[in-house]
Amino acid sequence: MNDALTRDDFLGGQVQLLQPKTGYRAGVDPVLLAASVPAVPGQSILDLGCGVGAAALCLGARVSGLSLTGVELQQDYARLAERNGGGALEVVVADLNDLPLDLRDRQFDHVIANPPYFDRTAGRAADDAGRETALGENTPLLIWVKVAAKRVKPKGFVHFIHRAERLPEILAALPQHMGSIEVLPISPRIGRRAELVIIRARKNGRAAFKLHAPLILHEGPRHLQDADSYVPLVKSVLREGAALRF
């Protein structure tokens, strides 16, 4: 294995990912996103901005028989995603603004995305180019939402995980035909404000908007020691590949 890479366990070792030692490294967020997708065997998944394949491959480990496709702008990360998938993940190297024609001709049961979190008009860029591309918003969030909505099948779902403060932008960007919207706030601890949200919307869905009770990640009101303090539900998601139902 290249000295510039690490091999990291996800879902208690069910998924092993090669990742760069420096640059963007997948963490908890794509795992939570994957766990929230109510996919069933035989369905198709499109992961926009798939990175090294964390979200798509964690979803594929939990639900067998899925057709997994990822789109990734950075070639180095796309190559790692292909290696990590071992043939189970089709990876397309492309810009969301210019998807290849064959991909634009396809629609998927579920489209998932963990878009870059930070608007760089109001923040400092990361030193590493790969990390900056993954975290700094170059393609507007509006485009991520519009592309996801176009690529999902009728009655299919789009799923995003993002910073809580960007929720109004995502909701405003969803086209009118995306309904049955659900939001799961994610808070680090009891009594702390939500820092992340998972958003789910259904193409042609008609159900009322749902704002769920927050998912609390860690036990106790504050950090006391360097140890695994995840609540049992979150621990089962991260370590055992359990579903995150809401």
Side-chain angles (χ1 to χ4, degrees):
M1 185 173 65
N2 191 315
D3 288 342
L5 302 176
T6 63
R7 187 184 300 274
D8 302 296
D9 287 348
F10 287 74
L11 308 185
Q14 296 180 57
V15 174
Q16 294 188 329
L17 299 179
L18 291 172
Q19 302 193 88
K21 284 184 179 178
T22 60
Y24 175 74
R25 293 173 57 81
V28 170
D29 300 1
V31 184
L32 294 175
L33 175 64
S36 74
V37 179
V40 297
Q43 289 189 325
S44 56
I45 311 296
L46 176 62
D47 184 358
L48 299 177
C50 69
V52 299
L57 294 174
C58 285
L59 178 52
R62 178 170 61 84
V63 183
S64 61
L66 296 177
S67 173
L68 303 174
T69 301
V71 174
E72 175 52 43
L73 174 64
Q74 301 185 81
Q75 290 190 4
D76 290 348
Y77 287 82
R79 283 194 289 267
L80 287 175
E82 288 182 330
R83 290 177 65 183
N84 290 330
L89 174 62
E90 172 195 8
V91 182
V92 178
V93 181
D95 190 317
L96 291 188
N97 293 292
D98 188 25
L99 293 178
L101 181 60
D102 61 338
L103 192 58
R104 282 184 277 145
D105 285 338
R106 296 162 61 187
Q107 290 188 310
F108 299 80
D109 295 294
H110 297 273
V111 180
I112 63 177
N114 180 189
Y117 283 165
F118 301 108
D119 180 354
R120 287 311 189 205
T121 63
R124 180 179 178 276
D127 294 331
D128 179 86
R131 181 175 173 79
E132 173 56 24
T133 300
L135 295 178
E137 182 181 301
N138 292 310
T139 299
L141 187 53
L142 173 68
I143 300 298
W144 287 81
V145 177
K146 297 294 187 187
V147 170
K150 285 182 178 179
R151 298 278 60 81
V152 71
K153 292 179 179 179
K155 297 298 183 181
F157 294 89
V158 299
H159 316 258
F160 302 95
I161 188 167
H162 215 290
R163 298 287 299 177
E165 61 264 28
R166 308 295 299 275
L167 175 60
E169 294 175 65
I170 295 175
L171 294 179
L174 284 168
Q176 283 192 330
H177 63 262
M178 299 302 300
S180 303
I181 299 168
E182 300 184 57
V183 176
L184 177 68
I186 301 174
S187 175
R189 295 183 184 277
I190 293 173
R192 298 274 296 275
R193 66 176 180 82
E195 295 181 357
L196 298 174
V197 288
I198 295 177
I199 304 103
R200 176 191 297 151
R202 191 173 195 182
K203 197 167 198 172
N204 307 126
R206 297 182 180 277
F209 174 82
K210 293 181 181 179
L211 177 61
H212 293 271
L215 172 69
I216 307 299
L217 295 182
H218 296 279
E219 295 178 325
R222 61 186 182 276
H223 179 74
L224 296 176
Q225 58 183 342
D226 292 331
D228 188 338
S229 63
Y230 289 116
V231 301
L233 171 60
V234 173
K235 189 177 295 186
S236 69
V237 167
L238 299 180
R239 306 286 184 252
E240 302 166 17
L244 178 58
R245 294 184 172 87
F246 66 92

